[in-house]
Amino acid sequence: MSYIQQGTKIYRRTSFSFFAAGFNTFAILYCAQPLMLEFTKEFNISPTTASLSLSITTIALAISMLIFGSLSEVWGRKPVMVYSMLVASGLCVLTAFSPNFHILLVFRTLVGITLAGLPSVAMAYLGEEIEPKSLGSAMGLYISGNAIGAVAGRVISGTLSDFFGWHIAIAGIGIISLVATLIFWYSLPPSQNFSSRKLEIGKLGKSLIDHLKDPGLVCLYGMGFLLLGSNVALFNYIGYVLTAKPYSLSQTIVSWIFIILIIGMFSSVLTGKLVDRHGKQKILILNLIITLIG
């Protein structure tokens, strides 16, 4: 097998392309979060109902990831990721033209389904193509793209909505994501170590059940659920508090609160390097301790 080695031009291209991919995915996913207050006002709905604009996308993405991972075994890694990003970006633009909240939820559900093609395949591609000793750093750069995308999606959409309304805000994120898709398409090298397989639904079901029987994996699933769930819940509703009295902040100022998540860009790269040096378990435990202290 021919692996991509750290320090080479192709490694930099691959890392940059996945940075763009992570940006694309999380900008589209989280662009609705700072707009929930606007949805509440325009569609006369409760904050809980408005939060469905993010929750339903996340649920659709989570379920669809189980399917896209298997489809990539048949169709190939890069094609699944590229078409996923391209369709999701197009749907994001169409979401801006939603005449009511029900149609908006339909588009956001479709966005979640199509977005799943990137995160479900990205780690598999990196694991197959990057040399093992550099894998942690490569994944760290991909995750840093996720962090930047999550921040930029929220800040840009929140700021645009304050000046031009939520329609322009979502359309703007969709256009930016289309550009990120083209960068990914052009920069990512085709798979060299991938071998196509037949799609076997039976094996997929058995594999999922086997994963749930592994206590270590169940613990990781639980940590992901609790950590990300608490993070998203906090930021879903903090805008309602900060735009009301006694804070009375503008939507633009509130959207910039998400900049705190930029720390994830640096910590993910650092964590990847530490994993390469000290192993996964030690660094995972260290990060959990830091989280609990916070």
Side-chain angles (χ1 to χ4, degrees):
M1 287 188 176
S2 175
Y3 288 113
I4 297 173
Q5 297 181 341
Q6 191 170 8
T8 61
K9 182 178 180 180
I10 193 170
Y11 177 88
R12 290 190 291 272
R13 282 183 56 192
T14 302
S15 299
F16 178 68
S17 63
F18 273 101
F19 182 91
F23 181 97
N24 169 289
T25 304
F26 279 76
I28 292 176
L29 179 61
Y30 286 109
C31 70
Q33 197 168 45
L35 306 180
M36 291 177 189
L37 188 61
E38 296 296 318
F39 298 154
T40 299
K41 293 177 181 177
E42 180 162 338
F43 301 119
N44 194 27
I45 56 179
S46 68
T48 303
T49 303
S51 70
L52 287 173
S53 59
L54 177 58
S55 301
I56 200 167
T57 311
T58 308
I59 293 170
L61 184 147
I63 296 172
S64 301
M65 281 181 68
L66 302 175
I67 300 170
F68 274 99
S70 296
L71 290 178
S72 73
E73 299 282 353
V74 181
W75 297 342
R77 309 295 192 204
K78 184 176 179 178
V80 168
M81 291 189 287
V82 168
Y83 290 124
S84 169
M85 292 170 61
L86 192 62
V87 175
S89 300
L91 286 169
C92 184
V93 174
L94 291 177
T95 305
F97 298 94
S98 301
N100 56 59
F101 192 65
H102 294 96
I103 298 298
L104 186 144
L105 288 183
V106 170
F107 276 124
R108 290 291 291 171
T109 302
L110 294 174
V111 164
I113 293 171
T114 52
L115 268 183
L118 190 280
S120 62
V121 180
M123 293 302 185
Y125 177 98
L126 290 171
E128 290 169 349
E129 305 299 328
I130 304 293
E131 63 175 350
K133 66 179 182 180
S134 303
L135 186 57
S137 298
M139 287 186 174
L141 285 168
Y142 165 58
I143 295 170
S144 72
N146 294 350
I148 292 293
V151 173
R154 289 155 160 149
V155 172
I156 293 171
S157 65
T159 304
L160 287 176
S161 71
D162 202 17
F163 291 97
F164 306 106
W166 68 266
H167 300 276
I168 296 296
I170 293 181
I173 294 297
I175 292 170
I176 293 171
S177 296
L178 282 171
V179 174
T181 300
L182 294 176
I183 291 172
F184 179 82
W185 194 345
Y186 173 77
S187 301
L188 186 70
S191 298
Q192 299 296 320
N193 301 322
F194 169 77
S195 298
S196 180
R197 306 172 190 173
K198 291 183 179 180
L199 180 62
E200 299 183 32
I201 301 298
K203 285 188 176 181
L204 172 61
K206 182 178 182 300
S207 174
L208 293 176
I209 293 172
D210 289 342
H211 289 162
L212 293 174
K213 291 179 180 178
D214 186 326
L217 289 177
V218 171
C219 285
L220 289 175
Y221 302 152
M223 280 189 288
F225 177 85
L226 293 171
L227 292 169
L228 187 57
S230 60
N231 175 286
V232 171
L234 171 67
F235 285 109
N236 273 358
Y237 301 111
I238 198 170
Y240 291 94
V241 176
L242 295 178
T243 54
K245 294 181 179 180
Y247 305 104
S248 302
L249 299 176
S250 70
Q251 181 64 43
T252 299
I253 298 299
V254 171
S255 68
W256 278 94
I257 289 174
F258 295 111
I259 201 73
I260 191 67
L261 298 173
I262 204 78
I263 294 171
M265 174 183 177
F266 303 101
S267 63
S268 59
V269 175
L270 175 61
T271 298
K273 292 179 179 179
L274 290 175
V275 166
D276 289 337
R277 293 178 189 173
H278 306 290
K280 301 178 182 69
Q281 188 172 6
K282 288 181 180 179
I283 303 305
L284 177 59
I285 293 172
L286 176 62
N287 282 336
L288 287 174
I289 291 172
I290 293 172
T291 302
L292 290 172
I293 292 172

